[in-house]
Amino acid sequence: MAARSSGGSSHSHGYTNRLATEHSPYLLQHAHNPVNWYPWGEEAFAEAQKRNVPIFLSIGYSTCHWCHVMEVESFENKEVAKLLNDWFVSIKVDREERPDVDKVYMTYVQALYSGGGWPLSVFLSPDLKPLMGGTYFPPDDKYGRPGFKTVLRKVKDAWDNKRDVLVKSGTFAIEQLSEALATTASSNKLPEELPQNALHLCAEQLSQSYDPNFGGFGSAPKFPRPVEAQLMLYYAKRLEESGKSDEAEEILNMVIFGLQCMARGGIHDHVGGGFHRYSVDECWHVPHFEKMLYDQGQITNVYLDAFSITKDVFYSWVSRDVLDYLRRDMIGTQGEIYSAEDADSAESEGATRKKEGAFYVWTRKEIDDILGEHADFFKEHYYIKPSGNCDLSRMSDPHDEFKGKNVLIEMKSVSEMASNHSMPVEKYLEILGECRQKLFEVRERRPKPHLDDKVIVSWNGLTISSFARASKILRNEKEGTRFYFPVVGCDPKEYFDVAEKAALFIKTKLYDEQTHRLQHSFRNGPSKAPGFLDDYAFLIGGLLDLYEYGGGLNWLVWAIELQATQDELFLDREGGGYYNTTGEDKSVILRVKEDHDGAEPSGNSVSAINLVRLSSLVSGSRSNYYRQNAEHLLAVFEKRLKEMAVAVPLLCCAAGMFSIPSRKQVVLVGHKNSTQFETFLAAAHASYDPNRTVIHVDPTDDTELQFWEENNRSIAVMAKNNFAADKVVALVCQNFTCKAPITDPGSLEAMLAEKPS
């Protein structure tokens, strides 16, 4: 019960409810609301059945701005709390902790009300069937919209007087959704022409929404959906390989321009590094200021790909910027990587209310006072104005929340600005870096946004990938490249250490060696929630990158183990594809095969790519098994690939990768603890090619040799026949044919970068 507190640790709080014993930062934020909150679980369900009242389910996450707003307006309001406590059993769910529960009711709200988001507000019967729902509700009727108190009264009235109709409607909706979302394949084969057609259709649909003025796809609000860039880069590569270089260049330029605009916009934190969630306007200027780990990992990988293609250090600099931000602010003492930073913070010490973006915005006077002689220079570069600069679009600040405040944005290129000041580019960049560092030091003394230090396996998997890939791709930066604050400019191999430590944390804290199962998240111990499909799929993808970019064989072995567990728990062996949950928790009433690639890729898209990659690492029946499962999965979503490819960009990439009859294999043979081996690994990964597999073997290591003897005998034979004690040997193989052995990394890099004739 949300009873009055007296004494103890909660003396300063008027109320304490059942959420006070939870680990989730989001649930703890609501532990002292007057609402008698329950966590999701049997106690709440039993209470609703005993009292025969509906459940009010509120789903959000700790860094959600509108979740905070609804808490202040409604859940801290005693009048609203009394209505909830008298008429309902109220349940709070952290959508990051229980994405399975969120998926059920978000799907319902999106299907019935053509929109969704957080906070998610849904009313349920005691047996958990949805009755009605929405997102944010203001406390009182406003602008023709019902207020939360009105909604509560209407649901109460409907429950008392029209209960049968209400319950039947909810049951029918769930039955219909269950049938629609558990789709099965009519065949386990994919039409031969479908992969290329899907790639073309997705690229065409994205191109139609391309913004030639500000980059990116779509209009305000503008989201950095990395899977879109991944699709376009992959499609450009395929066009180039088929001799359509002009079309390829056009597609590539769309991505490159968008990445430049994002990096120069306010969605990018110029002072501290990393990217905010999205831009409220079309010009990437004024962001919604929260920072999510899943964005950082995926965005970094796209900039790494752009660097691999262009060799322009602008893109390597942005990659480092994000990774250095994560290393500084988002990594725990044991290598675990945290989830998010809030959009809101107090404007000053002791302020009782938080404000969006307070930590990140600047007045002109602050810039003048902090930067002194370089203030005018900096203000020109970042479009700083006395009245505030959130005026580039009518969408940027429609309610004048940032009046007098400035969100840093680069309006002109560095080279143009340096030229205007008759200054060498290097000197110009040096001064900008010094200015950013001074602002950073001042900013560190401001009240900081809330840090969600929950560790989520899936998001760590995405980020393990980016750290591992950066460790080798960035070795191809030109010698003598200089970096400026907030980029540290470290040896790229330091990024690999971060990736390994994060993977080790998951293995030691969130993995059961006996059952081979994962838990979903960690905060003060593992969460109650089991691992979901995304946890397995994203982590397997990260582990494959960890291995291919130089990690020990143990990471590949673990990836194979996890794939076996994923197949056991989630695979629909008859109908194809993967469910998002195991189906073991009966309180989760909808089991979904997710295909939509949104802010995060879908577990099925990532799984399809993982299966294709695994099939090229092993041989024989296991390789065939992986390919068959990949094809069956793709066949499940054949209709989507044919008609609405833009909704599944990464699945289109997976189909394209599957359609390559034989992936290119680069096999490196030699002692691994040498600088030469690192150089060869960097050469193997220097050019962009998602259809390439890198295998590295030390034939003097008995464990390694035994693994390859058992899993891919041809690799073991190749390693034994080409081993030389004093050098590394590289072999490039495709279509069951290998080119002559290579002993020079430059020659390997040149061969892999060759364009098809």
Side-chain angles (χ1 to χ4, degrees):
M1 179 88 189
R4 285 250 173 211
S5 302
S6 58
S9 60
S10 59
H11 179 72
S12 61
H13 300 291
Y15 300 87
T16 297
N17 56 51
R18 287 169 176 80
L19 302 185
T21 60
E22 293 296 305
H23 290 171
S24 156
Y26 178 62
L27 299 190
L28 290 171
Q29 286 172 354
H30 293 265
H32 301 291
N33 296 162
V35 177
N36 182 20
W37 291 116
Y38 287 77
W40 182 264
E42 288 301 327
E43 184 186 8
F45 310 152
E47 180 68 11
Q49 288 168 348
K50 185 177 83 172
R51 290 173 53 197
N52 197 21
V53 296
I55 290 167
F56 169 62
L57 174 64
S58 175
I59 303 178
Y61 55 102
S62 74
T63 59
C64 164
H65 173 70
W66 286 102
C67 300
H68 300 328
V69 173
M70 193 162 177
E71 179 188 17
V72 170
E73 291 178 341
S74 293
F75 304 144
E76 292 179 356
N77 181 300
K78 292 177 186 177
E79 181 188 354
V80 172
K82 180 168 173 41
L83 297 180
L84 284 169
N85 295 341
D86 289 350
W87 295 344
F88 303 90
V89 169
S90 299
I91 298 178
K92 260 287 171 196
V93 167
D94 181 343
R95 72 112 176 169
E96 295 169 0
E97 195 173 57
R98 291 302 303 259
D100 54 337
V101 176
D102 177 60
K103 183 66 187 176
V104 172
Y105 300 107
M106 181 63 78
T107 301
Y108 165 80
V109 168
Q110 288 174 329
L112 268 70
Y113 304 100
S114 302
W118 298 279
L120 185 65
S121 306
V122 191
F123 296 90
L124 316 178
S125 64
D127 64 350
L128 309 181
K129 302 294 193 305
L131 307 175
M132 67 153 287
T135 54
Y136 162 79
F137 291 104
D140 300 299
D141 299 355
K142 193 184 291 185
Y143 308 125
R145 293 184 61 194
F148 191 48
K149 285 179 275 190
T150 299
V151 171
L152 294 178
R153 292 187 179 100
K154 286 187 174 180
V155 174
K156 159 73 170 160
D157 179 67
W159 181 256
D160 289 344
N161 300 306
K162 302 176 184 175
R163 187 176 307 178
D164 289 347
V165 175
L166 212 56
V167 171
K168 281 179 184 175
S169 173
T171 302
F172 179 74
I174 286 296
E175 287 171 354
Q176 293 295 301
L177 288 170
S178 181
E179 189 177 321
L181 294 170
T183 181
T184 59
S186 57
S187 165
N188 58 9
K189 295 293 181 185
L190 201 62
E192 191 175 331
E193 72 286 352
L194 181 58
Q196 186 59 30
N197 289 349
L199 284 169
H200 176 76
L201 177 61
C202 189
E204 186 176 56
Q205 290 174 335
L206 283 173
S207 297
Q208 288 167 0
S209 66
Y210 174 65
D211 182 346
N213 297 313
F214 301 107
F217 303 98
S219 56
K222 197 171 274 185
F223 290 82
R225 187 180 170 211
V227 290
E228 294 173 341
Q230 286 177 277
L231 178 284
M232 296 298 261
L233 292 177
Y234 183 71
Y235 185 55
K237 173 78 172 170
R238 293 291 294 267
L239 286 172
E240 186 179 68
E241 289 172 343
S242 61
K244 299 176 181 177
S245 56
D246 289 345
E247 288 180 55
E249 187 174 1
E250 185 180 346
I251 295 288
L252 176 61
N253 286 340
M254 288 185 194
V255 178
I256 293 303
F257 182 59
L259 294 179
Q260 289 173 354
C261 292
M262 275 177 55
R264 291 176 178 142
I267 192 172
H268 175 211
D269 179 3
H270 295 271
V271 171
F275 283 83
H276 300 294
R277 179 73 275 272
Y278 63 87
S279 167
V280 301
D281 51 43
E282 69 277 16
C283 41
W284 300 110
H285 184 203
V286 179
H288 177 43
F289 285 90
E290 66 184 317
K291 289 181 176 179
M292 307 302 296
L293 182 61
Y294 58 77
D295 281 325
Q296 314 309 323
Q298 292 181 90
I299 288 171
T300 300
N301 270 333
V302 172
Y303 279 94
L304 288 170
D305 288 341
F307 172 67
S308 296
I309 294 165
T310 65
K311 305 305 179 192
D312 185 338
V313 294
F314 174 84
Y315 305 102
S316 73
W317 174 81
V318 178
S319 303
R320 284 177 175 270
D321 166 283
V322 180
L323 298 178
D324 289 347
Y325 151 67
L326 292 176
R327 286 208 305 170
R328 186 190 67 235
D329 290 348
M330 297 292 285
I331 294 183
T333 56
Q334 298 178 71
E336 70 275 29
I337 310 177
Y338 299 142
S339 296
E341 286 190 297
D342 206 339
D344 301 2
S345 59
E347 289 191 281
S348 59
E349 290 295 343
T352 56
R353 291 296 180 206
K354 296 180 178 181
K355 191 169 181 181
E356 169 142 24
F359 185 70
Y360 299 101
V361 297
W362 304 90
T363 63
R364 190 188 72 163
K365 185 177 185 305
E366 286 174 321
I367 300 294
D368 287 335
D369 292 346
I370 296 164
L371 300 184
E373 63 174 318
H374 292 311
D376 288 343
F377 175 93
F378 190 87
K379 287 185 294 187
E380 183 185 1
H381 185 88
Y382 284 110
Y383 187 59
I384 307 295
K385 299 170 67 178
S387 58
N389 70 354
C390 301
D391 56 5
L392 293 176
S393 163
R394 62 183 180 83
M395 303 294 291
S396 296
D397 188 25
H399 304 298
D400 288 334
E401 294 176 72
F402 297 109
K403 191 172 183 179
K405 302 296 175 74
N406 293 272
V407 177
L408 303 189
I409 181 172
E410 295 177 285
M411 301 290 285
K412 298 178 182 176
S413 70
V414 167
S415 57
E416 182 182 352
M417 293 292 289
S419 176
N420 291 347
H421 287 271
S422 303
M423 190 182 294
V425 169
E426 292 287 336
K427 182 63 178 174
Y428 186 87
L429 289 170
E430 185 180 322
I431 294 172
L432 280 181
E434 290 169 357
C435 291
R436 289 192 297 263
Q437 186 159 9
K438 287 179 181 177
L439 292 179
F440 176 82
E441 289 164 359
V442 170
R443 197 174 83 171
E444 283 294 284
R445 297 196 289 272
R446 292 175 172 178
K448 290 189 175 181
H450 158 74
L451 169 67
D452 188 328
D453 57 359
K454 182 166 68 268
V455 181
I456 297 174
V457 171
S458 55
W459 299 359
N460 269 248
L462 293 172
T463 313
I464 286 166
S465 168
S466 60
F467 274 107
R469 295 183 72 236
S471 72
K472 299 303 178 293
I473 291 173
L474 297 181
R475 280 181 59 110
N476 295 289
E477 291 166 331
K478 289 176 185 173
E479 195 171 337
T481 298
R482 294 178 62 191
F483 299 100
Y484 308 92
F485 192 87
V487 174
V488 175
C490 67
D491 185 326
K493 71 182 179 184
E494 292 182 27
Y495 294 135
F496 196 84
D497 295 339
V498 175
E500 285 209 306
K501 285 177 182 174
L504 187 61
F505 180 88
I506 293 170
K507 189 160 193 185
T508 54
K509 303 291 186 182
L510 290 164
Y511 180 66
D512 187 318
E513 295 279 0
Q514 273 68 52
T515 63
H516 296 168
R517 289 193 178 198
L518 292 165
Q519 294 298 112
H520 171 63
S521 63
F522 184 99
R523 188 177 187 271
N524 300 327
S527 67
K528 299 169 193 169
F532 304 110
L533 172 62
D534 288 2
D535 296 309
Y536 286 85
F538 296 6
L539 180 57
I540 290 166
L543 294 174
L544 291 177
D545 283 333
L546 202 49
Y547 168 72
E548 288 199 43
Y549 284 79
L553 186 68
N554 56 306
W555 301 122
L556 175 56
V557 170
W558 191 26
I560 291 170
E561 284 178 6
L562 287 171
Q563 188 62 57
T565 306
Q566 179 183 316
D567 292 353
E568 176 192 333
L569 297 177
F570 305 100
L571 180 62
D572 180 354
R573 295 187 184 276
E574 294 297 318
Y578 292 96
Y579 291 104
N580 64 331
T581 65
T582 63
E584 295 168 345
D585 184 346
K586 299 308 176 188
S587 72
V588 181
I589 61 174
L590 198 60
R591 204 174 178 210
V592 176
K593 289 181 188 174
E594 179 65 75
D595 65 347
H596 178 68
D597 296 316
E600 301 170 58
S602 81
N604 273 297
S605 298
V606 175
S607 294
I609 292 173
N610 290 344
L611 291 167
V612 170
R613 294 177 70 182
L614 284 165
S615 72
S616 73
L617 285 159
V618 300
S619 63
S621 60
R622 181 177 279 179
S623 176
N624 292 336
Y625 167 79
Y626 289 142
R627 277 193 65 81
Q628 286 163 5
N629 281 350
E631 185 170 20
H632 201 183
L633 183 162
L634 292 166
V636 169
F637 304 110
E638 179 181 337
K639 189 170 188 288
R640 190 84 134 158
L641 289 165
K642 280 181 176 176
E643 297 174 4
M644 200 59 188
V646 73
V648 290
L650 199 65
L651 196 68
C652 294
C653 292
M657 292 177 195
F658 174 81
S659 71
I660 304 294
S662 175
R663 283 171 70 84
K664 186 179 291 180
Q665 290 180 323
V666 180
V667 182
L668 304 179
V669 181
H671 294 301
K672 295 187 179 180
N673 57 350
S674 67
T675 305
Q676 187 188 24
F677 197 84
E678 289 287 305
T679 305
F680 264 89
L681 274 169
H685 292 291
S687 56
Y688 171 79
D689 188 357
N691 295 317
R692 177 193 303 146
T693 297
V694 177
I695 296 169
H696 42 89
V697 190
D698 182 350
T700 65
D701 184 318
D702 292 340
T703 303
E704 278 204 30
L705 204 56
Q706 183 181 350
F707 172 86
W708 293 110
E709 289 277 9
E710 293 172 357
N711 291 280
N712 194 336
R713 184 165 170 71
S714 63
I715 297 295
V717 171
M718 211 181 297
K720 285 189 284 190
N721 291 346
N722 289 278
F723 177 70
D726 59 342
K727 59 188 174 185
V728 177
V729 177
L731 300 111
V732 179
C733 309
Q734 194 168 19
N735 297 319
F736 309 104
T737 304
C738 296
K739 296 187 177 179
I742 299 169
T743 56
D744 171 60
S747 300
L748 175 64
E749 183 176 338
M751 178 184 288
L752 294 175
E754 282 177 5
K755 294 183 179 180
S757 55

